[in-house]
Amino acid sequence: MALTSSLCYFPPITIHSYSCSFPISIFSNLRTQIQSSSSSTNICTQNIDTSLITIAESFYEDELWAASSLRVRSFNQFRPDTFGLQDHARYLAEREFEALKERISGKKMGFRRVSCINASLPMSHISTLYADLCSSCKFSASGEDRIVVGSLDLNQCLNLPDEIVGMKPKVSGVDITRAYLSNVCVASELHRNGLAYALLEKSKLVARNWGITDLYVHVAVDNEAAKKLYMKSGFVYESDEPAWQARFLDRPRRLLLWMGLSVT
Ligand SMILES: CC(=O)SCCNC(=O)CCNC(=O)[C@H](O)C(C)(C)COP(=O)(O)OP(=O)(O)OC[C@H]1O[C@@H](n2cnc3c(N)ncnc32)[C@H](O)[C@@H]1OP(=O)(O)O
């Protein structure tokens, strides 16, 4: 959806985060698309007032659905003329939605806890020109229609399936103090407004509160936008995936980035 910034009006942004304190397992439905997706295409550079961003946690299903839809539209490059496109996107969103609920409910083995952190803003303040964003990423909170415009997961666990394993902390006690970020995305209409950076800052706060000392993220080697985002946020290179493994998994090679957190 290519729109010029002169046609857009952007209001205060709100960031919501979902979290739970149960063991949890991450789904892997979108991982391939997620980390191989290049975000170098910026559709709109409209400025927004990030000082008005707020942060909240929720378990509401309609917001999880909106976040799932945002992930599908962010990590897939659909051709508009594809037959059955809407049905396919809905199918992917349903898979993501179910997997997201499962992670948050703590039903999978190997994961201590997951928080899904979302950025949202009131629908009344989004340009009607963004019809697709409004229709697919809408949810209601306290009688107000809102749009999820950014999302990520924070996963407290030792490793993610099919991913390079972080090496820190070297000694792991009973409590897992390692976490990974995943599913980091922002609506293309709002790229380059500092939303992803704000989501990362929130995730660091949540991680510190959980007692996380070592935060990791995987990123495809060709995803320049995401690599710059993580570097700006304080992540540094730790290791990279062997080429054979990426070939075996039929995806772009990943880097593993690390950040140390001081626990509050
Ligand atoms: C673990 C994972 O999930 S990896 C997958 C990452 N997600 C994706 O690839 C999905 C598609 N891409 C996106 O959703 C977005 O482009 C994101 C999440 C990568 C960035 O979201 P945005 O809200 O646009 O980023 P934000 O505005 O916070 O930018 C912060 C910094 O990231 C870097 N950055 C972000 N986008 C770009 C870009 N297109 N080109 C170069 N640098 C970029 C810049 O350093 C930027 O700081 P600056 O604006 O001061 O230069």
Side-chain angles (χ1 to χ4, degrees), residues 32 48-49 78 94 104 124 164-165 167 180 182 187 215-216:
T32 301
I48 55 174
D49 186 352
F78 298 119
E94 281 166 1
I104 287 176
S124 55
I164 328 165
V165 181
M167 300 307 291
Y180 298 83
S182 61
L215 186 60
Y216 283 97

Side-chain angles (χ1 to χ4, degrees), residues 133-146:
L133 177 64
C134 291
S135 63
S136 53
C137 302
K138 183 176 96 170
F139 70 101
S140 293
S142 306
E144 180 183 48
D145 285 340
R146 303 183 66 82

Side-chain angles (χ1 to χ4, degrees), residues 6-25:
S6 61
L7 296 175
C8 322
Y9 164 64
F10 293 101
I13 298 286
T14 301
I15 292 184
H16 293 266
S17 80
Y18 297 86
S19 73
C20 72
S21 52
F22 311 119
I24 192 90
S25 180

Side-chain angles (χ1 to χ4, degrees), residues 34-35 37 39 42 75 181 183-186 191-197 217-218 223 225-226 228-230 232:
I34 287 162
Q35 291 171 347
S37 171
S39 54
N42 289 305
F75 297 129
L181 296 176
N183 301 328
V184 180
C185 64
V186 167
H191 280 180
R192 300 309 291 268
N193 276 290
L195 278 174
Y197 187 84
V217 68
H218 299 92
N223 193 338
K228 284 183 178 150
L229 165 70
Y230 299 133
K232 180 178 175 180

Side-chain angles (χ1 to χ4, degrees), residues 164 168 216 221 231 234-241 253-259:
I164 328 165
K168 302 185 184 79
Y216 283 97
V221 289
M231 297 299 179
F235 285 89
V236 295
Y237 170 89
E238 180 170 300
S239 62
D240 53 350
E241 187 175 43
R253 208 160 57 81
R254 314 289 174 84
L255 304 178
L256 179 64
L257 309 180
W258 165 85
M259 173 191 292

Side-chain angles (χ1 to χ4, degrees), residues 13-185:
I13 298 286
T14 301
I15 292 184
H16 293 266
S17 80
Y18 297 86
S19 73
C20 72
S21 52
F22 311 119
I24 192 90
S25 180
I26 190 173
F27 82 112
S28 58
N29 291 351
L30 296 178
R31 262 183 308 109
T32 301
Q33 295 95 318
I34 287 162
Q35 291 171 347
S36 65
S37 171
S38 169
S39 54
S40 57
T41 308
N42 289 305
I43 295 174
C44 180
T45 55
Q46 175 71 45
N47 289 330
I48 55 174
D49 186 352
T50 51
S51 70
L52 296 167
I53 292 174
T54 58
I55 298 174
E57 293 190 35
S58 171
F59 298 96
Y60 297 118
E61 289 204 353
D62 60 344
E63 188 172 347
L64 292 173
W65 171 259
S68 303
S69 299
L70 178 70
R71 292 169 184 198
V72 168
R73 77 196 290 281
S74 298
F75 297 129
N76 294 276
Q77 288 168 347
F78 298 119
R79 283 181 45 175
D81 58 347
T82 305
F83 176 75
L85 174 61
Q86 285 191 337
D87 287 346
H88 182 58
R90 186 169 180 86
Y91 164 73
L92 293 177
E94 281 166 1
R95 277 180 34 182
E96 165 61 357
F97 177 57
E98 293 304 322
L100 180 55
K101 283 194 298 180
E102 188 179 22
R103 291 200 301 282
I104 287 176
S105 67
K107 288 181 182 161
K108 283 195 177 179
M109 298 289 288
F111 290 76
R112 173 95 175 81
R113 187 159 39 184
V114 166
S115 175
C116 172
I117 302 173
N118 291 333
S120 73
L121 72 165
M123 186 165 138
S124 55
H125 295 287
I126 291 193
S127 167
T128 52
L129 293 168
Y130 292 162
D132 178 68
L133 177 64
C134 291
S135 63
S136 53
C137 302
K138 183 176 96 170
F139 70 101
S140 293
S142 306
E144 180 183 48
D145 285 340
R146 303 183 66 82
I147 309 294
V148 172
V149 292
S151 187
L152 63 74
D153 288 341
L154 172 67
N155 311 276
Q156 184 178 15
C157 57
L158 288 175
N159 63 288
L160 296 180
D162 291 335
E163 298 288 6
I164 328 165
V165 181
M167 300 307 291
K168 302 185 184 79
K170 281 197 166 51
V171 181
S172 201
V174 178
D175 290 328
I176 300 169
T177 60
R178 181 187 303 164
Y180 298 83
L181 296 176
S182 61
N183 301 328
V184 180
C185 64

